[in-house]
Amino acid sequence: MKTKKETSTSTTAKSIALLKNGKDSKIPVTVKPMLATLVSEPFDDPDWTYEVKWDGYRALAYLNKGSVSVSSRNNKSFEEKYYPVTAALSKWSFDAVLDGEIVVLGEDGKARFSALQNWRSEADGNLVYYVFDLLWYNGKDIMGLALSERQAILKAVLPTGDDTIRLSPIFTSGGLDFFAAAKKMGLEGIMAKRASSEYSPDSRNKQWLKIKVNQRQEVVIGGFTKNEGSSKLFSSLLLGVYENGSFQYVGKVGTGFGDKLQKEMMQEFTPLITDKIPFASEPDINKPSRFRPNPPHATATWLKPSLVCEVSFAEVTSDGVFRHPSFEGMRSDKKAREVVRETAAPTSQAVSDAEVDSGTGKSALVSAPLESGRKTLLNPTEESQVKKIKGHSLKFSNLSKIYWPEDGYTKRDMFNYYYKAAEYILPYLKDRPLSLNRFPGGIHGPGFYQKDVKGKAPDWAKTFPYTTSDGEDKEFLVGGDEATLLYMASLGCIEMNPWFSTIKHPDNPDYCVIDLDPDKNTFDQVIQAAQEVKKVLDAIEIPGFVKTSGSTGIHIYIPLGAKYSYDQSQMFGKLIVSIVHDQLAEFTTMERQIKNRNGKMYLDFLQNRPGATIACPYSLRPKIGATVSMPLHWDEVKKGLAMTDFTISNAIARIKSEGDIFRGSLQKGIDMTMALSKAQSIFF
């Protein structure tokens, strides 16, 4: 009987023996990669294998007599920019040509395209080269071998021990379940490849297929707009694709980029500015829509169409324009003239002879993510540790205590999360009195609120004396730096609950909050209500910032800039939700008493009062799943959104990828008088 080691050695020998079927040849200088055809839906077929569609840059690597070059699909050099990949490949002792994808992995194991675009050094994330094909090896051209044979050889010769270079996992059990798992995990999509397929350079044929979870498209930037009165460098990008050699307008995108990225993009835009309209016909950039009947006036700056980016979108309108697009990142690896509108072919036609059936195989999607290299506060073994935070010594004990029993997350996990999230969460706590919602025994243990910390808080902690509405004198803990944040966590404060106002103006909130609180409603109905709120805000031309509650509902913040009282804020919130209620009366209510709501969703505007609190952005919640109250782009507020999309395990990667998209809630407040006037003219 063969041992496991002997079996493995035998398999490796058989795989390498397949090289004899290759052609003797010199190493190719450049290879144009084989491309895949987009199809409409997944399928099962035993003659096909399935892989993750990685969200990164396609890259071919050439290893030749100790030298290494790595290039994009259009032969742009990657070896200096992604130097860890080059360094890892340079350690290999053989000559080869590899095909794969360079990605940056988040802590949840997902590839983050925006993180790859912004990658400058190893401190920016875990750079990985996923290799999925071997084209040439030690004097043998094997592109004419079947994919299954090339993959067997690749697996046999690929060195182990350096996680920068990984073999892209191959699955044979079924495309339907694999696609469902990819969708659940939030991946870009899957690849389906005929196991018998040869490698066809510079060819897009139907031997390789791609199926996307969400609609995404490469587009060319033909200009940008700037809204009247906006402080941003630009408000939206004007997008186009080539159709029969003509540059056609496909819409504009105004979400997905922060201030830092805008500055970098403007540096690329400046030398491309032109007076000539690049599109086949001039787009109407101020065209109203039913969602935005009175858009702010914008002016256009035209660009020579040479920069490529990628956007996601909800659908394409009848006139060929993207609805609800969101910027995903620049594509320096693509040429502008090659960007055409990509439409999915019918799967049955593409698979042709394959019989599409309903397989039941299960697939694990991605290998365990690399350790991110980002700081953690506490080591994984010691049960009690003392750390100096901002000059203050804090003791952390009972670190293995399970706080989320169903999910296995511990007290240590909570501390490490808040340490990593601190720079993002602190702006929403700074100078704000806090209600301490304590769960010292975990989410199922007894919990209690503590508002008065007089004589209990550390000497260095800031406190705020305040007489509550019931006449009690209390000293509230005040949010500040990391030390205060982690001190609260050490008390068992799983979630962070700041006031809507700061100690600088305690009677004037920084935002008005609309809390969509479901009862017997579906979450799709919560999403529908949030979309209705957005329609109202757009109609009266004021901003709103949306986040999951981390529990069951959705929170929407309207910036007030501390210019109005709590009474005025509550009145304004009531106006907004009354308009929404008129539209959705069948499943919403403004009734405060739970017993009188009849199972309907409560449109809560009464949170807008002194001393009231809700979980702030990026706060953990004491709920099964270890969910996080996560800010969203408005185009993410759609069917399919789930509270469990954002948890302690993936929130940091999401935050670092997107940046703080909620910060506008703390900036310049609305003109309430003008907003009320517009509401009066439109809705009453």
Side-chain angles (χ1 to χ4, degrees), residues 340-359:
V340 297
R341 190 187 296 276
E342 194 172 33
T343 56
T347 297
S348 57
Q349 178 184 331
V351 177
S352 62
D353 296 334
E355 184 74 23
V356 179
D357 54 34
S358 54

Side-chain angles (χ1 to χ4, degrees), residues 345 630 658:
M630 182 60 70
E658 299 300 315

Side-chain angles (χ1 to χ4, degrees), residues 224 263 265-274 303 307:
F224 60 90
K263 290 179 182 177
M265 293 171 72
M266 281 300 295
Q267 291 178 355
E268 293 187 83
F269 292 170
T270 300
L272 300 175
I273 292 174
T274 177
L303 301 176
L307 297 176

